[in-house]
Amino acid sequence: MSRIKQRFADLKAEGRKALVPYITAGDPDPALTVDMMHALAQAGADIIELGVPFSDPMADGPVIQQACERALAKGTTLRRVLDMVAEFRRNDAQTPVVLMGYLNPIECLGWAAFGEQAATAGVDGLLAVDLSSEEAAELTPVVRDAGLDSIFLVAPTTSQARVARICEHASGFVYYVSVKGVTGSATLDVDALADRLAWLREHTPLPLGVGFGIGTPEAAAAVSRVADAVVVGSVLVKEIARIGEDRQALCQALAAVLGDMRRAMDAVEA
Amino acid sequence: MADTQDNIAARWRGMPDARGHFGPYGGSFVAETLMAPLEALSQAYAQYREDPAFMAELDRDMQDYVGRPSPIYHAERWSRKLGGAQIWLKREDLNHTGAHKINNTIGQGLLAARMGKQRIIAETGAGQHGVASATVAARLGLKCVVYMGSEDMRRQAPNVYRMRLLGAEVVPVESGSKTLKDALNEALRDWVTNVDDTFYIIGTVAGPRPYPQMVRDFQSVIGREARAQMLERCGRLPDSVVACVGGGSNAIGIFHPFLDDETVTLCGVEAGGDGVDTGRHAAPLSAGRAGVLHGNRTYIMQDEHGQIGLTHSVSAGLDYPGVGPEHAWLKDIGRAEYVSVTDSQALAAFHELTRVEGIMPALESAHALAYAAELARRGASDDIILVNLSGRGDKDMASVAEAEGRSL
């Protein structure tokens, strides 16, 4: 059983929902990322989404764009991100790690090489933002053969016809984009979200994660009533931008923000 | 030979395939939120391109508003001076708004109106596509927002003011390299946020399906006219057709109707900047590798880790790290050849045409002229080279002065 599947099974048994923090690897410095990942895991992260920085992150808002710029300025590459995961795995064999990013750095490394190296490093899944299900037929089998889950986005605009094909390619969980917009944009409407998730559950038995626009403990708690996983990113990345390269302050701040969300979510289910 | 050519011709007539692929290039590589509006656009375009009323309106606008057909002009004095082949110019610089860009924005603008969209957005580099989009928006009564890199706004200040006079909002883009690629990113971010009421007019033959095909179709009027005009004026087809390639819309526009004419050499000229060997250029077909950027797989300039490379060109309109997927494919199958010329060669051609023929070309088009001059010198006096003079150069006066250490 994949680490992601195992994690969702455990959570279900405990009656809890998954909290999935996102940070951009290498922001503010590649030497700080692994400690921040451990801090997130200790503060209640069930899965860690690690952003692979890209020069042209067209689906991201300014907060994550700037994180990418900071990480790239410090020499972060896809290979170094895989090294970070391998280092994280030395002290954490349980917390699943999903890489989130854009296709070109992966294409550049080569799909087969990426699958093999990512699996060896201990990566559990890949979410390639600009890989549409139309183009996925040749690429996702390579990733899956390496033992990685393929996480796909479903959007407010996704049609009935498309959702079936997306779910065909998806494994691990399905990521529902809660707003029309880039990461870190407008706030979401939980009632509308509940309807869409109910519709999505008709198409897949996989757990449903929700992200984009969840920035407060209240929002995380509200989403956790209807979703299986809550993804938070920009709010954490803003903290990183505010603090800069202070290892201890970064780990404390991330733990504080995530801890508040964890407690708010667990209070819902208690 | 003939058999092979027939096979190739059959293959390009079928391009792109139903999923927007030109061989291994093209496709739809965007975040899921944009897949639905792209599908709606594909369907609307497929419907209206077969709709006689739509096509009649497009033809009428091309004639009465754009001023088509644009003439071809024999640059006799320049040809004589070069001492070789005869250079003919397809005068897209004479179109309304001064470049080929309007051919596409008229088409997409009419489509936006048919689809009931109230707001159009566009990216622009040199500002010509932004001006052409703002122009169409003014005429159709649509709101228009143009994204432009702040570095390009500085280089192309007159076009920024022109767009504002036309009622468009020009948004400076400060991210990344502050040029065309970043403007495209920002326009995609706007579209994903305002997907219900907004139509994104992409200005070149790149981007996700259906843009490479749709923009090609709207721009192919250039080649259809030029082919007929050459037959009428010269009694034969040209030996070479030369066009500059940034994203590649004016080049595909003039190349496409000549694809079946195997005697015609098609030559795309990329921006060599300081020289392709210096790394400071914008020539992905000459010095890039296949990758994925802005919704399609194509040749792109990138570093060894897959990050998009910084580009350099004296011409803002060619300062782009990608290129339309159909060009990538035409290069691979050998139907078109791609070369580059440097900033200084382009500047020399800019001056040459201005002084010898009294035609001031856009710096983009000056790249094609520079290569055509080289070809002409090597050619026989009865060889014919057709150059797409894709735009006029008034907008570039400040850039030319700056490149030469003067101020206006």
Side-chain angles (χ1 to χ4, degrees), chain A residues 8 16-20 173-179 186-198 200-201 207-232 261-262 264-269:
Chain A
F8 276 107
R16 300 164 77 233
K17 299 297 176 68
L19 178 56
V20 184
F173 64 98
V174 172
Y175 187 139
Y176 183 70
V177 176
S178 48
V179 294
T187 48
L188 62 114
D189 171 350
V190 177
D191 290 337
L193 176 64
D195 292 345
R196 284 292 281 183
L197 293 183
L200 192 46
R201 279 190 209 285
L208 303 182
V210 173
F212 285 40
I214 303 171
T216 62
E218 295 72 33
V223 171
S224 75
R225 288 173 199 272
V226 292
D228 301 304
V230 178
V231 187
V232 293
M261 291 190 164
R262 177 81 268 170
M265 284 168 59
D266 290 348
V268 169
E269 285 127 18

Side-chain angles (χ1 to χ4, degrees), chain B residues 143-183:
Chain B
K143 187 171 160 37
C144 179
V145 177
V146 178
Y147 290 93
M148 188 168 188
S150 57
E151 169 64 15
D152 288 341
M153 287 178 72
R154 188 188 64 75
R155 290 196 279 189
Q156 304 286 343
N159 267 346
V160 174
Y161 189 53
R162 242 170 124 191
M163 287 184 267
R164 289 182 172 148
L165 287 172
L166 287 159
E169 181 189 347
V170 183
V171 180
V173 176
E174 300 286 354
S175 58
S177 57
K178 304 178 174 60
T179 60
L180 180 53
K181 84 174 171 75
D182 310 285

Side-chain angles (χ1 to χ4, degrees), chain B residues 29-235:
Chain B
F29 295 92
V30 294
E32 175 59 24
T33 309
L34 288 180
M35 289 305 295
L38 285 168
E39 185 54 39
L41 177 60
S42 295
Q43 284 176 11
Y45 177 58
Q47 176 194 334
Y48 286 115
R49 67 186 297 216
E50 307 293 333
D51 178 344
F54 179 85
M55 293 311 288
E57 189 175 351
L58 180 63
D59 288 347
R60 200 164 53 241
D61 281 357
M62 289 290 201
Q63 180 185 303
D64 299 346
Y65 191 73
V66 178
R68 304 208 70 91
S70 67
I72 54 170
Y73 168 74
H74 184 193
E76 257 183 291
R77 191 157 175 261
W78 194 36
S79 304
R80 217 166 30 241
K81 196 166 170 230
L82 292 165
Q86 302 306 306
I87 294 181
W88 287 72
L89 306 176
K90 177 63 172 167
R91 298 292 308 275
E92 292 298 296
D93 61 316
L94 295 177
N95 292 341
H96 180 43
T97 72
H100 71 290
K101 292 292 186 187
I102 191 100
N103 301 327
N104 170 46
T105 60
I106 287 278
Q108 290 198 50
L110 291 179
L111 198 54
R114 288 287 205 286
M115 291 175 76
K117 303 290 184 184
Q118 297 302 314
R119 178 176 180 269
I120 63 174
I121 57 173
E123 85 293 338
T124 198
Q128 291 304 105
H129 174 59
V131 166
S133 298
T135 298
V136 165
R139 176 164 175 261
L140 296 172
L142 303 174
K143 187 171 160 37
C144 179
V145 177
V146 178
Y147 290 93
M148 188 168 188
S150 57
E151 169 64 15
D152 288 341
M153 287 178 72
R154 188 188 64 75
R155 290 196 279 189
Q156 304 286 343
N159 267 346
V160 174
Y161 189 53
R162 242 170 124 191
M163 287 184 267
R164 289 182 172 148
L165 287 172
L166 287 159
E169 181 189 347
V170 183
V171 180
V173 176
E174 300 286 354
S175 58
S177 57
K178 304 178 174 60
T179 60
L180 180 53
K181 84 174 171 75
D182 310 285
L184 222 150
N185 289 332
E186 212 51 45
L188 284 166
R189 291 177 188 126
D190 178 311
W191 199 24
V192 93
T193 309
N194 301 291
V195 63
D196 295 327
D197 71 340
T198 295
F199 188 106
Y200 180 16
I201 302 188
I202 292 185
T204 191
V205 285
R209 166 184 179 259
Y211 286 100
Q213 178 191 1
M214 179 170 69
V215 177
R216 175 195 79 194
D217 291 352
F218 288 137
Q219 291 292 4
S220 291
V221 65
I222 304 172
R224 283 197 306 274
E225 285 176 7
R227 193 175 180 283
Q229 288 165 324
M230 292 304 302
L231 289 172
E232 192 192 319
R233 295 289 297 277
C234 301

